[in-house]
């Protein structure tokens, strides 16, 4: 069978070779195109990423020596592009003031200023429009000298275009368009630029007049911008990322500049940022720790019950107990959000009928935190139960028999046999679980979205926010869009998660 | 069976059964509640836990059929749930397929082939898999924003971007498959290579057919991960028509526009198939999960 497979017709191999080389050519060309464009747009990070990925890919797939790498390359490239690169890029952003106010590069901001135009009121012309079939003719009259100009027949298609006009002794004999027809044409007329014989450019500034429009700014040396109308000079402020006039007033839009470690210092030393940060940091730790603890206790308890030979119907219990794990989290979290709703939720309804109380689950910080822990225990215990069931099976049964002979109770068994036996293989898994809950964005985002808010914080911060949901909100929600600050906090979390990952790797190595 | 048994064992067994049943009731209460709410009239809790007035309104709206009331008024479906479900399934199937393809070949390289930096790559993959993508969302957004200006089907608000971004989550699957490959004896492939088969043929015609079970597990795992993925989809997708279920579902429960009953029907409709798939596959999944977990 195998020998047949290897004896492929020679013709086919040749054809394959051509196909292969064509493919490499295409991929290389595409890569080069992307890299050049990104480089031209000053997206150095991205250009470098594509350079590494494309050249690495071509080398691996062309060189015979790198044959073994061919199998691993696509996966490694995927991880590089979508995990490692975003990580490094985030660290890079954390050193800048990239935000909703400082979104553009310096070039784009300068382009924006240069494209601004102002109307030179000293050169105003009234205009008339004459219609012949679908074609139009535009006539201008200088308000002071009564000199007249006329354009050739033109077609309006709504696209910007420049039309030159020439001196005319008399206007066409027919009557010009009434003002209501001009209103209808206003949009297309606004797109027109008329060019006088002396080269001045005019655009429509009112329903009856065209006027000369000029660039408001021109670029001078050292990135200075000079206002053509007032002569004012705008200079770039390299620290705030805005153009400023002499009085220090900022002119938006701002551009992105590197601000060194400012984002980190504001997290650590600026009170209005630091206090919510520390509060959220502590809660994140408490939340992850308690989540691991609760899910582990419930999971271990259920696993020991299900391990017990005397209990029948294990299959049924197992499926029922695994259900919270099987229902997609984004659905069950939203279900809890509805059930816990303060006015319309079923849980408050039951509490009211039984005890006559209604709890404010979403506005009291303590109750909101309790609710989150409750829901997270519901969501998380099945995983722990499955892990513990696997680990409990590896404990020799005769240990328990011996302890029963000695008259030990269930608690003695738990603390003297079960826990010491499973704690070692379990530790790295508990660390992973801790890290997962530390970054449990979906739970917070869907259940409380961080609320109730921390009072007096300048950033969007809530009492139930975890560090991840906090960074997400700084970056993507509310008004701020402060990507730089969000990236700085994300970098701090990276360091923590990295330490956890290393600890986990060390511990699982000791065990294996 | 233990030889030494306490006299109270019988009572303790009964106690365990009662305890377990009580716990199960507590656990599945919210799920039963939602099913009941989906058949209840109106969008607010009315005072009775089980519907006294039965209605199919929410279900009809969830299925995208406008519901005509007895008084002649017609309610239009608030959201395109079926479109979201289809988006989710499409994205999850394609990304699970790609993840399976890439992680299988990579696992083959790591399990069987020799090359420089193998140990380093494996170890760093383990570390990087613990970094949640939600932390680098700003960077991922910027990445696709830039690519999208030149390749339109990979830009923001496309499913292509979401599928491509999911390729970052390969590491765990590579480890799972690699573990399985290593449990298969390599001598069969070596024999084939001695007989003149290429590495690719040994991989494709010998190792792959032997590994179908783990490939199924990884596919389902990747599929479920992708269906339930929320943070990246919430940033990369913008239009209502483009959303996946995980992002769309929360639109029902805004304070200003609270559609509890409609949500319940949509949740059961979309959650049930995923839950059933998971329960059906859980035996294989659990072994895959814990295997990957213990090694990781």
């Amino acid at each position: 069978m195998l020998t047949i497979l290897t004896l492929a017709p020679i013709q086919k191999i040749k054809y394959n070779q051509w196909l292969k080389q064509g493919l490499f050519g295409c991929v290389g060309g595409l890569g080069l195109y992307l890299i050049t464009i990104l480089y031209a747009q000053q997206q150095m990070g991205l250009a470098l990423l594509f350079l590494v990925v494309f050249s690495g890919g071509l080398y691996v797939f062309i060189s015979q020596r790198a044959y073994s790498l061919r199998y691993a390359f696509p996966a490694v490239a995927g991880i590089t592009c979508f995990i490692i690169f975003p990580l490094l890029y985030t660290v890079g952003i954390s050193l800048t003031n990239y935000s909703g106010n400082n979104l553009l590069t310096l070039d784009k901001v300068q382009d924006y200023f240069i494209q601004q135009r102002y109307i030179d009121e000293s050169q105003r012309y009234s205009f008339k429009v004459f219609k012949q079939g679908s074609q139009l003719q535009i006539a201008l009259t200088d308000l002071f000298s009564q000199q007249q100009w006329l354009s050739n027949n033109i077609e309006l298609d709504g696209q910007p275009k420049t039309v030159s006009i020439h001196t005319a002794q008399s206007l066409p004999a027919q009557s010009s368009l009434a003002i209501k027809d001009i209103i209808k044409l206003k949009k297309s007329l606004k797109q027109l630029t008329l060019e006088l014989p002396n080269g001045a450019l005019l655009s429509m500034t009112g329903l009856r007049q065209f006027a000369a429009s000029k660039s408001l700014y021109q670029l001078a040396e050292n990135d200075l911008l000079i206002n053509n109308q007032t002569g004012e000079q705008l200079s770039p402020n390299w620290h705030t990322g805005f153009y400023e006039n002499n009085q220090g007033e900022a002119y938006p839009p701002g551009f992105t500049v590197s601000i060194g470690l400012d984002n980190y210092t504001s997290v650590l030393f600026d009170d209005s940022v630091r206090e919510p940060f520390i509060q959220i940091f502590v809660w994140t730790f408490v939340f992850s720790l308690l989540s691991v603890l609760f899910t582990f206790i419930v999971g271990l308890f259920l696993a020991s019950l299900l391990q017990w030979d005397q209990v029948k119907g294990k299959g049924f219990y197992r499926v029922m107990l695994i259900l919270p794990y099987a229902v997609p989290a984004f659905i069950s979290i939203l279900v809890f959000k509805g059930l816990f709703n303060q006015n319309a939720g079923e849980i408050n309804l039951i509490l009211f009928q039984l005890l006559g109380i209604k709890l404010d689950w979403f506005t009291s910080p303590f109750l909101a935190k309790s609710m989150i822990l409750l829901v997270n225990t519901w969501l998380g215990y099945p995983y722990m139960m499955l892990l513990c069931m696997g680990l409990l099976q590896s404990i020799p049964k005769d240990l328990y028999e011996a302890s029963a002979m000695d008259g030990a109770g269930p608690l003695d068994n738990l603390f003297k046999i079960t826990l010491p036996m499973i704690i070692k293989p379990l530790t790295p898994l508990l660390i992973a679980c801790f890290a997962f809950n530390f970054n449990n964005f979906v739970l917070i985002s869907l259940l409380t979205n961080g609320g109730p808010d921390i009072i007096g914080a300048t950033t969007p911060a809530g009492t139930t926010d975890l560090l991840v949901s906090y960074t997400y909100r700084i970056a993507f929600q509310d008004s701020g869009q402060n990507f730089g600050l969000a990236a700085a906090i994300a970098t701090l979390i990276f360091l923590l998660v990295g330490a956890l990952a290393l600890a986990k790797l060390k511990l699982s190595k000791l065990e294996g | 069976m233990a030889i030494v048994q306490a006299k109270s064992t019988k009572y303790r067994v009964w106690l365990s059964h009662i305890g377990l049943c009580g716990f199960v009731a507590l656990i599945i209460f919210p799920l039963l509640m939602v099913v009941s709410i989906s058949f209840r009239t109106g969008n607010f809790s009315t005072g009775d836990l089980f519907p006294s007035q039965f209605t199919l309104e929410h279900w009809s709206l969830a299925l995208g059929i406008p519901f005509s009331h007895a008084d002649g008024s017609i309610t239009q479906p608030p959201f395109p749930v079926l479109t979201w479900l289809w988006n989710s399934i499409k994205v999850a199937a394609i990304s699970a397929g790609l993840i399976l393809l890439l992680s299988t070949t990579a696992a083959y390289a790591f399990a069987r082939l020799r090359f420089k930096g193998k140990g380093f790559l494996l170890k760093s993959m383990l570390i990087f898999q613990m970094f949640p993508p939600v932390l680098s969302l700003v960077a991922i957004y910027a990445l696709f924003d830039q690519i999208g200006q030149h390749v339109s089907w990979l830009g923001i608000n496309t499913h292509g971007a979401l599928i491509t971004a999911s390729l970052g989550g390969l590491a765990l699957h590579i480890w799972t498959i690699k573990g399985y490959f290593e449990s298969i004896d390599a001598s069969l492939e070596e024999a084939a290579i001695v007989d003149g088969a290429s590495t690719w043929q040994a991989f494709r015609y010998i190792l792959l057919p032997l590994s179908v079970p783990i490939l199924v597990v990884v596919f389902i795992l990747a599929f479920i991960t992708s269906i339930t993925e929320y943070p990246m989809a919430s940033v990369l997708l913008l239009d209502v028509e483009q959303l996946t279920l995980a992002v769309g579902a929360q639109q029902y429960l805004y304070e200003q526009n609270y559609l509890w009953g409609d949500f319940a029907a949509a949740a059961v409709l979309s959650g049930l198939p995923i839950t059933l798939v998971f329960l059906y596959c859980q035996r294989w999944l659990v072994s895959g999960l814990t295997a990957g977990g213990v090694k990781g």
Side-chain angles (χ1 to χ4, degrees), chain B residues 9-153:
Chain B
T9 303
K10 204 173 162 186
Y11 301 107
R12 278 166 59 195
V13 170
W14 274 108
L15 206 66
S16 316
H17 273 295
I18 293 170
L20 278 173
C21 284
F23 193 79
V24 166
L26 202 66
I27 289 302
I28 61 172
F29 165 75
L31 303 176
L32 293 179
M33 215 46 241
V34 171
V35 178
S36 126
I37 289 162
S38 72
F39 290 109
R40 195 174 63 188
T41 323
N43 272 316
F44 294 96
S45 55
T46 47
D48 46 347
L49 281 182
F50 294 96
S52 52
Q53 283 180 310
F54 181 83
T55 174
L56 285 175
E57 178 188 350
H58 305 311
W59 277 90
S60 131
L61 293 181
L63 288 166
I65 309 161
F67 184 79
S68 31
H69 297 274
D71 61 4
S73 62
I74 291 178
T75 312
Q76 291 295 328
F79 299 109
V81 182
L82 289 182
T83 314
W84 290 346
L85 189 60
W86 169 238
N87 286 344
S88 280
I89 291 175
K90 194 172 72 180
V91 168
I94 298 177
S95 74
L98 284 175
I99 284 177
L100 183 64
L101 189 76
L102 295 188
S103 52
T104 311
T105 51
Y108 178 68
F110 285 120
R112 290 284 197 265
L113 304 176
R114 242 172 288 161
F115 53 89
K116 246 190 232 166
K118 188 159 106 174
F120 171 75
L121 273 178
L122 274 171
K123 219 175 280 170
S124 37
M125 276 190 335
L126 266 188
I127 292 176
F128 282 120
Q129 123 200 349
M130 276 179 75
F131 291 103
V134 56
L135 284 177
S136 31
L137 275 180
V138 175
I140 290 175
Y141 183 89
L143 180 68
F144 284 104
D145 193 29
Q146 283 300 323
I147 299 177
Q149 289 173 13
H150 314 295
V151 192
S152 60
W153 54 272

Side-chain angles (χ1 to χ4, degrees), chain A residues 225-395:
Chain A
L225 286 171
I226 295 169
N227 189 322
N228 289 329
Q229 198 175 7
T230 61
E232 194 179 34
Q233 275 194 1
L234 298 186
S235 52
N237 181 327
W238 298 112
H239 197 72
T240 59
F242 281 102
Y243 267 100
E244 289 175 351
N245 61 12
N246 293 335
Q247 283 81 49
E249 285 170 55
Y251 282 64
F255 47 93
T256 310
V257 289
S258 162
I259 54 166
L261 294 174
D262 278 12
N263 285 320
Y264 294 94
T265 48
S266 76
V267 170
L268 297 177
F269 300 113
D270 179 351
D271 277 349
S272 64
V273 182
R274 186 189 58 181
E275 273 163 23
F277 175 80
I278 288 180
Q279 196 179 336
I280 288 169
F281 186 81
V282 170
W283 159 242
T284 308
F285 248 93
V286 171
F287 164 79
S288 327
L289 212 65
L290 289 181
S291 291
V292 173
L293 197 70
F294 291 161
T295 51
F296 176 65
I297 290 173
V298 176
L300 179 66
F301 181 71
L302 290 172
S304 339
L305 275 186
L306 289 185
Q307 262 341 89
W308 197 15
D309 300 327
Q310 310 276 330
V311 178
K312 299 279 178 285
K314 274 182 207 148
F316 167 77
Y317 287 130
R318 199 185 126 106
V319 170
M320 285 293 134
L321 290 173
I322 246 176
L323 260 182
Y325 199 37
V327 180
F330 68 89
I331 285 181
S332 44
I333 294 170
L334 287 172
V335 165
F336 276 111
K337 182 180 178 179
L339 289 176
F340 275 107
N341 188 295
Q342 280 167 217
N343 304 314
E346 275 68 16
I347 287 178
N348 265 356
L349 195 71
I350 297 173
L351 284 177
F352 187 71
Q353 282 174 354
L354 293 181
L355 307 168
I357 48 168
K358 280 196 165 188
L359 296 177
D360 38 0
W361 296 106
F362 287 92
T363 45
S364 142
F366 175 75
L367 282 174
K369 287 176 180 177
S370 321
M371 172 182 72
I372 284 172
L373 282 170
L374 214 67
V375 173
N376 203 28
T377 310
W378 188 90
L379 287 168
Y381 82 85
Y383 179 70
M384 284 293 182
M385 184 181 86
L386 291 170
L387 285 183
C388 290
M389 278 167 78
L391 290 171
L392 287 180
Q393 264 165 358
S394 63
I395 302 177

